[in-house]
Amino acid sequence: MVKLQYAFAALAGLVGLAESKDSPRQRAKALLKKMTWEEKVAQMGSIRRLLKLGPEVDEENYESRYELQHGTIGFGPMFNWILDALPIVNDVREKEIKDSRLHIPFITVTDSVNGLFISGGTVFPSNLAMSSTFNLPLFKSVAEAIREEQLSIGVTWVLSPPLDISWEPRYGRIGELFGEDSYLTGEFGHTYVQTMQDKDKNGNIKVACTIKHFVYGESRGGVNAASQYGGINHLFNDQLRPYIRALEADPAAVMVSYASVDLVPMSMNEYMIQEILRGKLGFDGVVMSDAGSISNMYTQSRVATSYADAGLQALKAGLQMELSPGNPAVFPNLIDNVKDKTVAKLIDEAVLNLLTIKFATGLFDNELPDVETSNKTLRQPAHLKLAREADREGIVLLKNDGILPKTPKQVALLGPFGELLNAGSYAAINVSNPKWGDSLHTSLKSALGEKNVKFVPAVDLIDTADDSGIADAVSAAKDAGFAALMLGSLSAPIEDPLFKKRTDGEFFAHADLGLPGLQQQLLDAVLDTGVPTVLILTGGQPFVLNNSTLRSNAILHSLLGGEFTSSALVEIITGEVNPSGKLTISMPQLSSAIPAFYDYLPSDDTGGSEARLGFHSAYQWPVLTKDSPMPFGFGLSYTTFDISTPTAEYKNGNVNIRVTVKNTGDVAGKEVVQVYHRPNTSVGIEFPLRRLVRFEKVDLAAGESKEVKFQIPNKELGYYANAKLKVQEGLYNFWAGSSSRVEDLKGVNVTVTL
Amino acid sequence: MVKLQYAFAALAGLVGLAESKDSPRQRAKALLKKMTWEEKVAQMGSIRRLLKLGPEVDEENYESRYELQHGTIGFGPMFNWILDALPIVNDVREKEIKDSRLHIPFITVTDSVNGLFISGGTVFPSNLAMSSTFNLPLFKSVAEAIREEQLSIGVTWVLSPPLDISWEPRYGRIGELFGEDSYLTGEFGHTYVQTMQDKDKNGNIKVACTIKHFVYGESRGGVNAASQYGGINHLFNDQLRPYIRALEADPAAVMVSYASVDLVPMSMNEYMIQEILRGKLGFDGVVMSDAGSISNMYTQSRVATSYADAGLQALKAGLQMELSPGNPAVFPNLIDNVKDKTVAKLIDEAVLNLLTIKFATGLFDNELPDVETSNKTLRQPAHLKLAREADREGIVLLKNDGILPKTPKQVALLGPFGELLNAGSYAAINVSNPKWGDSLHTSLKSALGEKNVKFVPAVDLIDTADDSGIADAVSAAKDAGFAALMLGSLSAPIEDPLFKKRTDGEFFAHADLGLPGLQQQLLDAVLDTGVPTVLILTGGQPFVLNNSTLRSNAILHSLLGGEFTSSALVEIITGEVNPSGKLTISMPQLSSAIPAFYDYLPSDDTGGSEARLGFHSAYQWPVLTKDSPMPFGFGLSYTTFDISTPTAEYKNGNVNIRVTVKNTGDVAGKEVVQVYHRPNTSVGIEFPLRRLVRFEKVDLAAGESKEVKFQIPNKELGYYANAKLKVQEGLYNFWAGSSSRVEDLKGVNVTVTL
C-alpha cells in the first residue's frame, strides 16, 4: 500500500489563490471570477459513486459525468473496505488538484447515519437507536468519533443529520430518524451539527453537515416519497422545530425532501425554500436536492416538461446542487441557459455557496488523508467502547414479568434474526457476514458456551410458504427450557445479498406493523408451549404487539443497533447491563390505530366512554393505545426509581424545575428524567396535551438519590403563530417523570410573566 | 287535532315592518334599528330542542334559554311524529310572533340528511348511498321532495349539505358525506343547495341551506373532531373544491367544523373564516358554529380562558350564530361586552345576516304551516316512489360469480342486521321498530313466502362473548341451500334503543375497518359450508374484505340506504332490479392500507416492484389496493356495457368529449359513464394521476347504444396555485369508462389553447 502524503504548501501553491487570511467566502468569490460556465455548472453536480466493488475506479461513470458534474465525489459501494479504497480515492483527489485548470479539489460527500458509509469504520447505532439512549453527552461523544473517522478518510461533508419527525409509523425510514418528538430530534440534530462542524486549529470546519429532508416524515400512507400536507402552524410548531434548533449550529447545507409539500414537489417549492428556509429561518448555506429528486419532477411528478425544464425550475426555486446517483443528471443542462441573466446569477450564487464550503472545510489548505492516520483512527478502542456503550443504552426493555435478568444454562435461540446484523439500510454492514460483526448466536455462544445454545432460524424473513421449521423451534425451546426469539424487520443496504428480503428502510412502507413472514406464527407456537420466553425485536420501526405476543415473559426492542447490539443484548439478558433505553416512537396497538405519537392535540382526544367498543369505534385518541400503552419515553429497568414531585420557580425569565430521583431498587441503573409542559392559558394556537421540554439521564447506584435541575428560558415555552414565535404570560403546567404516560408523571404549575 | 291557519295579513300586521317590496336586507336593517342588545344577542342563539318525547314542549329548556338565545328553534327528539308535534310547535311559533316585543318569528332549523329530522317524513338514503347512485337528476328530485316535506312542517333552514370529502375511511361520519371525490361532492352539494333554495312565487327562498363542515373530513386517525392539516394548495384543490362549487348556488349559511385546522380551532380560525371564506371565496351569509364548538374552545381545546372569552374570540373570528345543544351556551355572555364598539359592530353584522335569512325565507310574510297540508305532503306517493328508486340505485354490486340474480326457493337470512334498518345517525328511523320500515327479513318473507325464509341473527352487533348462534346459522344455511348474510356496522341516532350497539356515525372512528363483533366468524363459518352465499354489507363506511370474505359468491354494499333498502335488496337479488350503484368511497384492502382514495398524486406512487412483499413493505400506492381493487366509481351490473374509446375536440374554450355506450348483455341496465382527466403539461402544482371531471348515468335496454356528450369548459381543467385558479395550455389526457380503475378506462388526448 502506497503511503500518500501531500504537503500543505505544495497544494496551496498549485491552487494559487488569495491568502488564507481571507474568509472562505472572500476566497470563493475570487475563485468564482476565474471560472468558466462549464466549470461552474460542474461544481453543482457530483460523481456520487467513484468506485466499483473491488475497489476500483468506475472509469465509465467518472468519464461520463466529469465534464459537467464534478463538484463532489462519493465512495460508492459500502462493502469496499476503506483502507483499500483510500489510496485509490486519494489518487483521484490528487489528480484533480494537480491537473484541473483551476486546481479546485473535489469535496467528498457521504451519508453518515451509523458512521462511515463504507466498511472499516466503527458501526454505531442508527439514529433511532441512538435517540433511545436519551443520552446527549454520549451522543456527542459518538458524533466526535464519527467525525474523526470521517475526517481520517477525507470526508468533509456529510448528508446528515436527518431532522424529520416520526409521526407516521408506517414510513420505512424512521430507523434513520431520532423519533417522534420535535424537541428531542432538535436536540440530537443540534448536537450532531455542532459536534461535526467543530473547528480545527486553523479555524476550518471539520465536517460540514447537511440537515434534511426539508421537510418529510409524514408521507401519505407512509409511502416513501409520497406527498404530505402543509400548514404554516403545523410546519413551525412540529416539522420545522428541529430545523430551527439545528440551524442555531449553522449547518453548511440543507437537503430538500422527495415529498410534495402542499402539492408542490420540494425540489421546486419556491415558497418553502425562499420564503420559509431563506426568509423566515434565515438559512444562507447550500440547498441541495435529494438523490434524483430534480429528475423526479419530470419523470414522476410531471410538473416539468423535460429534464431541462426540471433543472431550470429547480434552480429558480433555489436548488444549488444536485445529488444524482444515476444518469441522466439534470443540472448539466443548465449550461444551455447561461446566457439567461437570471440563470447565470443563480448559478453564480450556487457556486459561491459551494466553493465557500470547500474553503471553509480547509480543502484548499489541508493535506489529503493518509492511510496510516486513517488506520489509527478507525475502530480505535475508544470508538469501539463508545459504540458498545451506545448499543447498551439504546436497547429498550418493554416488558418483564421478572424473568430477566437471567443467565440460562441452556437457551434456544429462535428466529431468522439470530444470525443477522440489522443496523439499518445506511449502515456499512453485510447483514449475514460474520466479518462485519457478531450475531446474537455468536454472542450467546460466547457467553453461555457453544453447546448450550441451540439456534433454529425456523422461518424465513418474509416468505410465508414454508412453516416446517416451526416444529424444530418448538422442540428446541422445550429442550432448552428457555427461549430467546429474535424477530423483526430487515433493514439492509442496497448492496446486501439479503436486500431482497428486507422489509424496512428506504423505499419501504409498512401497511402492516406486525412481523413479516411467518415470524408471528413461530412466536405463537413457542409461547403456546409455556417455555419461558424472551422476545427481542429488531427493526427501525415500532411493532404492533398483539395479545399473543404480550404473553412473552420479557420483550426487548433493539431497534437498529450498531455492531455490538448482540453482545449488549446478552449483557442485558444476563443482567451484566441494566437496560436504560426509552422509546422515542410510540408503539401503536393496531396497525391502523395510527398515528400514535404522544403529543397529540386536545382536539384529537374528543372524550367519551365508548372504549368498550375497541378498535371498531375508537371514540378518542387514548383508546388507540389503551391496552398496554408503550408510548414515547417508555422503557423499563431492572431496578425501580422514584422521581419526586417537581418544584418550579419562575425567575429572571427562566422556569427552574427541580426533582429528586432515587434508585429504590437493589441494583445500579440509569433513569431518564423527563420534563413535559403545556401552557394552561389562552394561546390562540392549540397546544398538545403535553410536550417534552427537557430530559436528563441519571446514573444511580442502588439506594442513591440525586437532585436534577432544569432551567427553561421562557422563549422555549412559546409556540409559533403564523411563523412568529409567541410566548404567553400565565399559568403553565409542568410534569416530571419516567415516561410520557400520565401514570408516570407528577405535576407542578408555575406562572410565567414577561 | 286543531287545525291551525294564520292569515298572512294578520301576521304581517303584527310585525308592522317596512313594505315587503323592500329587499330582505333592507327590511332586516330597518328591524335591527329597533332592537335592544338583549334582543340582538338572542337572535344569535337557538332553542335547539323545543320538544320532549311525547311530544310536549320542554318548558324548562325553553325558559332557561329564551332570554338570550331564541333566534332559531329545532324540534328535538326525532322519534316524535311530526303530525303530533306540528300543532304544538305552531303554538310556540305563533306565540312568539304575537307576543314578543318586535314580533320576530322563530326560524326553524333542523338537520336534513335522509329527509326530515323528525319521524313521519319519507326516509331517503343517506348522502353516501345517494352519491352512489351517480344520478344527479334523481338526487334533484329527492331534494325537491325533501324540500317540500321540510317546508310543509315549517322548516325553512337546514343544516345541510355537508361537503367534506371522505379521504379518511376511518372517520365515522362519512355515511353523511357524498364520498371521496371533490368534484362529485361539489355537484351533489350544488344540486342540493340550488334545489332547496329554489324561490317561491313571491321570490322567497323555500329552504335556506348551510354548507358544512368548513372544513373537515380528514381528522387525525379518523377521530371525530380531531385536528387536521392545512396547506393552501391542498385546501383549494381538494377540500374547498366542493365549497367553491356549492357557493355558486349562494347558500344562506356556512357551518364551521369541530376541527382544528393547522392547529387553530375552526370556531376561532380568523384566517379560514375571514381570509379564505369571506375573502377568497366571497361568502357573505351567516357563519355559524357547530353544536357546542364554541364552548369546546374553553373546555376541550383550551384556547380560551373562559366561556366568555371563547365567545368573544369566536365572534371576533367571524362566528355569527351559535348552535348549542346543551347548556351553557356561550354567546349569551356577549351581552356583557356590548359597550365594546368592536363587539357591538360584530353583533349588528351578525344579526343583520340572521334577520336577512328570516326575511328572505318569507317568515315575516308567509302563513305558518298547517297540519292538513303537511299530512298531504309528507310521504306522498311520488316521494315514496322516489325513495324506492334512490334505494334501488344506491346499492352497489361488488362481486358476482354468476349466482345473482336468483330467486331462491328457500333462504337462510343470517346476521344481526336482518331485522334492522340502518339508515344513519341522522335518519329518523328507530332501527329495530317495524313501525319505521321493512327489514330484510320482512321483505324476503314478502317476496318468497314466510315459510321459505329462516332468519338467524346468530351473533350480536358488537359483543364477542357469545358465538353459540353460529352453529344454528350454519344449520340454517345448509337446510336452505342458499344463504344471505346481512352484516356491517350500525349507525343509529342518539335516541335509538340500540344506540349503545352502534359502531358507526357521529362520534365514532374505525381503527378497524372489518366487521364488528363476531360477524366475521359467522361469515367464515357459513362460507366454510360451501352453501351459495350472498353477503350484504350495511354501514356508512368501506369495509375491508379479506380473503375469506371474498369467497362469498356475491357481495352487495347497501351503505346507509333509506326506508326501502330491504325491498330494493330483494329486488336486486331476484333480478327484478338490475344494480347500478357505484362506490364513491374506495374499499381499502387492509385497515392500515389507507388512505385509499383514487385521486392520489404521482408522488404517492413511487414505483418499484416489491409488490411481492405485500403489506409489510408497500412500495407504492397501488400495492395498497392490488389484490381485488374496488376503488371509487366501481360497481357491477347484471348486464355488460361497452364504452367506446372517447373522442375529444377542443373548441371555443370547451373540451367536447363523446363516447358511445352499448348494453352488450341480455337485460336492461344503467351504466355510469365516467370521464377522468389530467393535464399532461407543466402545472407547477402536482396534479392527481386522474380526476373525475364528468359523469352521466345512462339507461339502456339490452342491445341498445347511446352516444353521450360531455362539454367541459377549460376553466374546469384548472387547478389552484396559492388560492388562484390557473388554467394551463397544452396537452390533456382524458379517459372515459365505467370506473376509476385503469382497466376500465379508455383514453384520448386533446390540446387546450387559451
Side-chain angles (χ1 to χ4, degrees), chain A residues 404-425:
Chain A
L404 293 185
K406 181 180 175 74
T407 306
K409 283 195 177 161
Q410 293 204 305
V411 63
L413 173 62
L414 312 173
F417 284 94
E419 278 190 334
L420 301 180
L421 299 167
N422 196 21
S425 49

PDB file of all heavy atoms in Angstrom, chain A residues 404-425:
ATOM      1  N   LEU A 404     -36.293 -11.666  33.677  1.00  0.00           N
ATOM      2  CA  LEU A 404     -34.958 -11.078  33.468  1.00  0.00           C
ATOM      3  C   LEU A 404     -34.550 -10.284  34.701  1.00  0.00           C
ATOM      4  O   LEU A 404     -35.407  -9.728  35.388  1.00  0.00           O
ATOM      5  CB  LEU A 404     -34.970 -10.181  32.232  1.00  0.00           C
ATOM      6  CG  LEU A 404     -35.175 -10.875  30.884  1.00  0.00           C
ATOM      7  CD1 LEU A 404     -35.048  -9.858  29.751  1.00  0.00           C
ATOM      8  CD2 LEU A 404     -34.209 -12.037  30.676  1.00  0.00           C
ATOM      9  N   PRO A 405     -33.272 -10.177  34.981  1.00  0.00           N
ATOM     10  CA  PRO A 405     -32.154 -10.808  34.258  1.00  0.00           C
ATOM     11  C   PRO A 405     -32.024 -12.295  34.595  1.00  0.00           C
ATOM     12  O   PRO A 405     -32.415 -12.717  35.676  1.00  0.00           O
ATOM     13  CB  PRO A 405     -30.940 -10.028  34.778  1.00  0.00           C
ATOM     14  CG  PRO A 405     -31.332  -9.592  36.144  1.00  0.00           C
ATOM     15  CD  PRO A 405     -32.806  -9.333  36.089  1.00  0.00           C
ATOM     16  N   LYS A 406     -31.495 -13.017  33.669  1.00  0.00           N
ATOM     17  CA  LYS A 406     -31.326 -14.452  33.865  1.00  0.00           C
ATOM     18  C   LYS A 406     -30.176 -14.951  32.998  1.00  0.00           C
ATOM     19  O   LYS A 406     -30.059 -14.584  31.838  1.00  0.00           O
ATOM     20  CB  LYS A 406     -32.614 -15.163  33.452  1.00  0.00           C
ATOM     21  CG  LYS A 406     -32.560 -16.682  33.632  1.00  0.00           C
ATOM     22  CD  LYS A 406     -33.891 -17.308  33.204  1.00  0.00           C
ATOM     23  CE  LYS A 406     -33.838 -18.816  33.249  1.00  0.00           C
ATOM     24  NZ  LYS A 406     -33.880 -19.359  34.611  1.00  0.00           N
ATOM     25  N   THR A 407     -29.325 -15.788  33.606  1.00  0.00           N
ATOM     26  CA  THR A 407     -28.301 -16.460  32.821  1.00  0.00           C
ATOM     27  C   THR A 407     -28.716 -17.916  32.691  1.00  0.00           C
ATOM     28  O   THR A 407     -28.501 -18.710  33.595  1.00  0.00           O
ATOM     29  CB  THR A 407     -26.927 -16.349  33.499  1.00  0.00           C
ATOM     30  OG1 THR A 407     -26.645 -14.979  33.747  1.00  0.00           O
ATOM     31  CG2 THR A 407     -25.826 -16.943  32.613  1.00  0.00           C
ATOM     32  N   PRO A 408     -29.383 -18.226  31.586  1.00  0.00           N
ATOM     33  CA  PRO A 408     -29.904 -19.580  31.461  1.00  0.00           C
ATOM     34  C   PRO A 408     -28.774 -20.569  31.220  1.00  0.00           C
ATOM     35  O   PRO A 408     -27.745 -20.224  30.632  1.00  0.00           O
ATOM     36  CB  PRO A 408     -30.826 -19.497  30.242  1.00  0.00           C
ATOM     37  CG  PRO A 408     -30.246 -18.389  29.433  1.00  0.00           C
ATOM     38  CD  PRO A 408     -29.624 -17.413  30.390  1.00  0.00           C
ATOM     39  N   LYS A 409     -28.985 -21.782  31.705  1.00  0.00           N
ATOM     40  CA  LYS A 409     -27.983 -22.815  31.416  1.00  0.00           C
ATOM     41  C   LYS A 409     -27.984 -23.115  29.938  1.00  0.00           C
ATOM     42  O   LYS A 409     -26.947 -23.255  29.297  1.00  0.00           O
ATOM     43  CB  LYS A 409     -28.304 -24.079  32.209  1.00  0.00           C
ATOM     44  CG  LYS A 409     -27.908 -23.945  33.669  1.00  0.00           C
ATOM     45  CD  LYS A 409     -27.885 -25.273  34.376  1.00  0.00           C
ATOM     46  CE  LYS A 409     -27.397 -25.075  35.821  1.00  0.00           C
ATOM     47  NZ  LYS A 409     -27.756 -26.190  36.675  1.00  0.00           N
ATOM     48  N   GLN A 410     -29.182 -23.237  29.435  1.00  0.00           N
ATOM     49  CA  GLN A 410     -29.314 -23.528  28.013  1.00  0.00           C
ATOM     50  C   GLN A 410     -30.334 -22.568  27.423  1.00  0.00           C
ATOM     51  O   GLN A 410     -31.277 -22.156  28.105  1.00  0.00           O
ATOM     52  CB  GLN A 410     -29.799 -24.960  27.809  1.00  0.00           C
ATOM     53  CG  GLN A 410     -28.778 -25.993  28.255  1.00  0.00           C
ATOM     54  CD  GLN A 410     -29.005 -27.293  27.549  1.00  0.00           C
ATOM     55  OE1 GLN A 410     -30.103 -27.830  27.612  1.00  0.00           O
ATOM     56  NE2 GLN A 410     -27.989 -27.801  26.869  1.00  0.00           N
ATOM     57  N   VAL A 411     -30.147 -22.239  26.160  1.00  0.00           N
ATOM     58  CA  VAL A 411     -31.120 -21.364  25.506  1.00  0.00           C
ATOM     59  C   VAL A 411     -31.368 -21.848  24.084  1.00  0.00           C
ATOM     60  O   VAL A 411     -30.443 -22.296  23.391  1.00  0.00           O
ATOM     61  CB  VAL A 411     -30.638 -19.892  25.523  1.00  0.00           C
ATOM     62  CG1 VAL A 411     -29.354 -19.724  24.740  1.00  0.00           C
ATOM     63  CG2 VAL A 411     -31.714 -18.947  24.972  1.00  0.00           C
ATOM     64  N   ALA A 412     -32.638 -21.774  23.714  1.00  0.00           N
ATOM     65  CA  ALA A 412     -32.982 -21.986  22.306  1.00  0.00           C
ATOM     66  C   ALA A 412     -33.098 -20.615  21.666  1.00  0.00           C
ATOM     67  O   ALA A 412     -33.960 -19.831  22.052  1.00  0.00           O
ATOM     68  CB  ALA A 412     -34.304 -22.740  22.199  1.00  0.00           C
ATOM     69  N   LEU A 413     -32.203 -20.319  20.750  1.00  0.00           N
ATOM     70  CA  LEU A 413     -32.265 -19.044  20.020  1.00  0.00           C
ATOM     71  C   LEU A 413     -33.046 -19.295  18.741  1.00  0.00           C
ATOM     72  O   LEU A 413     -32.616 -20.085  17.883  1.00  0.00           O
ATOM     73  CB  LEU A 413     -30.857 -18.538  19.706  1.00  0.00           C
ATOM     74  CG  LEU A 413     -30.801 -17.293  18.799  1.00  0.00           C
ATOM     75  CD1 LEU A 413     -31.486 -16.092  19.435  1.00  0.00           C
ATOM     76  CD2 LEU A 413     -29.359 -16.962  18.418  1.00  0.00           C
ATOM     77  N   LEU A 414     -34.174 -18.615  18.596  1.00  0.00           N
ATOM     78  CA  LEU A 414     -35.095 -18.918  17.509  1.00  0.00           C
ATOM     79  C   LEU A 414     -35.369 -17.683  16.670  1.00  0.00           C
ATOM     80  O   LEU A 414     -35.390 -16.563  17.180  1.00  0.00           O
ATOM     81  CB  LEU A 414     -36.412 -19.445  18.104  1.00  0.00           C
ATOM     82  CG  LEU A 414     -36.258 -20.536  19.179  1.00  0.00           C
ATOM     83  CD1 LEU A 414     -37.600 -20.853  19.822  1.00  0.00           C
ATOM     84  CD2 LEU A 414     -35.632 -21.794  18.568  1.00  0.00           C
ATOM     85  N   GLY A 415     -35.595 -17.923  15.396  1.00  0.00           N
ATOM     86  CA  GLY A 415     -35.955 -16.817  14.516  1.00  0.00           C
ATOM     87  C   GLY A 415     -34.821 -16.450  13.586  1.00  0.00           C
ATOM     88  O   GLY A 415     -33.643 -16.637  13.898  1.00  0.00           O
ATOM     89  N   PRO A 416     -35.192 -15.899  12.435  1.00  0.00           N
ATOM     90  CA  PRO A 416     -34.196 -15.661  11.369  1.00  0.00           C
ATOM     91  C   PRO A 416     -33.168 -14.592  11.706  1.00  0.00           C
ATOM     92  O   PRO A 416     -32.119 -14.529  11.073  1.00  0.00           O
ATOM     93  CB  PRO A 416     -35.064 -15.248  10.178  1.00  0.00           C
ATOM     94  CG  PRO A 416     -36.340 -14.740  10.773  1.00  0.00           C
ATOM     95  CD  PRO A 416     -36.553 -15.525  12.022  1.00  0.00           C
ATOM     96  N   PHE A 417     -33.449 -13.760  12.697  1.00  0.00           N
ATOM     97  CA  PHE A 417     -32.502 -12.690  13.008  1.00  0.00           C
ATOM     98  C   PHE A 417     -31.384 -13.142  13.948  1.00  0.00           C
ATOM     99  O   PHE A 417     -30.510 -12.362  14.277  1.00  0.00           O
ATOM    100  CB  PHE A 417     -33.232 -11.479  13.594  1.00  0.00           C
ATOM    101  CG  PHE A 417     -33.963 -10.680  12.553  1.00  0.00           C
ATOM    102  CD1 PHE A 417     -35.298 -10.916  12.278  1.00  0.00           C
ATOM    103  CD2 PHE A 417     -33.304  -9.717  11.812  1.00  0.00           C
ATOM    104  CE1 PHE A 417     -35.967 -10.201  11.302  1.00  0.00           C
ATOM    105  CE2 PHE A 417     -33.952  -8.986  10.820  1.00  0.00           C
ATOM    106  CZ  PHE A 417     -35.304  -9.237  10.566  1.00  0.00           C
ATOM    107  N   GLY A 418     -31.410 -14.410  14.358  1.00  0.00           N
ATOM    108  CA  GLY A 418     -30.377 -14.900  15.265  1.00  0.00           C
ATOM    109  C   GLY A 418     -28.989 -14.850  14.672  1.00  0.00           C
ATOM    110  O   GLY A 418     -27.993 -14.814  15.405  1.00  0.00           O
ATOM    111  N   GLU A 419     -28.905 -14.845  13.349  1.00  0.00           N
ATOM    112  CA  GLU A 419     -27.573 -14.781  12.728  1.00  0.00           C
ATOM    113  C   GLU A 419     -27.384 -13.574  11.821  1.00  0.00           C
ATOM    114  O   GLU A 419     -26.559 -13.590  10.909  1.00  0.00           O
ATOM    115  CB  GLU A 419     -27.280 -16.084  11.956  1.00  0.00           C
ATOM    116  CG  GLU A 419     -26.784 -17.171  12.911  1.00  0.00           C
ATOM    117  CD  GLU A 419     -26.254 -18.396  12.182  1.00  0.00           C
ATOM    118  OE1 GLU A 419     -26.679 -18.655  11.028  1.00  0.00           O
ATOM    119  OE2 GLU A 419     -25.430 -19.105  12.771  1.00  0.00           O
ATOM    120  N   LEU A 420     -28.193 -12.554  12.050  1.00  0.00           N
ATOM    121  CA  LEU A 420     -28.089 -11.365  11.196  1.00  0.00           C
ATOM    122  C   LEU A 420     -27.713 -10.128  12.012  1.00  0.00           C
ATOM    123  O   LEU A 420     -27.948 -10.066  13.221  1.00  0.00           O
ATOM    124  CB  LEU A 420     -29.422 -11.112  10.484  1.00  0.00           C
ATOM    125  CG  LEU A 420     -29.948 -12.233   9.587  1.00  0.00           C
ATOM    126  CD1 LEU A 420     -31.276 -11.825   8.970  1.00  0.00           C
ATOM    127  CD2 LEU A 420     -28.938 -12.587   8.494  1.00  0.00           C
ATOM    128  N   LEU A 421     -27.151  -9.163  11.303  1.00  0.00           N
ATOM    129  CA  LEU A 421     -26.871  -7.846  11.888  1.00  0.00           C
ATOM    130  C   LEU A 421     -27.835  -6.870  11.231  1.00  0.00           C
ATOM    131  O   LEU A 421     -27.829  -6.725  10.008  1.00  0.00           O
ATOM    132  CB  LEU A 421     -25.438  -7.422  11.581  1.00  0.00           C
ATOM    133  CG  LEU A 421     -24.355  -8.348  12.134  1.00  0.00           C
ATOM    134  CD1 LEU A 421     -23.010  -8.005  11.498  1.00  0.00           C
ATOM    135  CD2 LEU A 421     -24.276  -8.208  13.650  1.00  0.00           C
ATOM    136  N   ASN A 422     -28.641  -6.209  12.021  1.00  0.00           N
ATOM    137  CA  ASN A 422     -29.706  -5.373  11.470  1.00  0.00           C
ATOM    138  C   ASN A 422     -29.500  -3.933  11.923  1.00  0.00           C
ATOM    139  O   ASN A 422     -30.152  -3.460  12.840  1.00  0.00           O
ATOM    140  CB  ASN A 422     -31.057  -5.932  11.947  1.00  0.00           C
ATOM    141  CG  ASN A 422     -32.222  -5.391  11.155  1.00  0.00           C
ATOM    142  OD1 ASN A 422     -32.064  -4.918  10.030  1.00  0.00           O
ATOM    143  ND2 ASN A 422     -33.411  -5.455  11.736  1.00  0.00           N
ATOM    144  N   ALA A 423     -28.575  -3.261  11.259  1.00  0.00           N
ATOM    145  CA  ALA A 423     -28.179  -1.926  11.719  1.00  0.00           C
ATOM    146  C   ALA A 423     -28.754  -0.815  10.857  1.00  0.00           C
ATOM    147  O   ALA A 423     -28.528   0.356  11.124  1.00  0.00           O
ATOM    148  CB  ALA A 423     -26.658  -1.822  11.760  1.00  0.00           C
ATOM    149  N   GLY A 424     -29.514  -1.201   9.823  1.00  0.00           N
ATOM    150  CA  GLY A 424     -30.140  -0.157   9.018  1.00  0.00           C
ATOM    151  C   GLY A 424     -29.609  -0.094   7.603  1.00  0.00           C
ATOM    152  O   GLY A 424     -28.506  -0.564   7.307  1.00  0.00           O
ATOM    153  N   SER A 425     -30.395   0.507   6.724  1.00  0.00           N
ATOM    154  CA  SER A 425     -30.043   0.483   5.307  1.00  0.00           C
ATOM    155  C   SER A 425     -28.912   1.450   4.958  1.00  0.00           C
ATOM    156  O   SER A 425     -28.411   1.444   3.850  1.00  0.00           O
ATOM    157  CB  SER A 425     -31.281   0.737   4.439  1.00  0.00           C
ATOM    158  OG  SER A 425     -31.984   1.861   4.883  1.00  0.00           O
TER     159      SER A 425
END
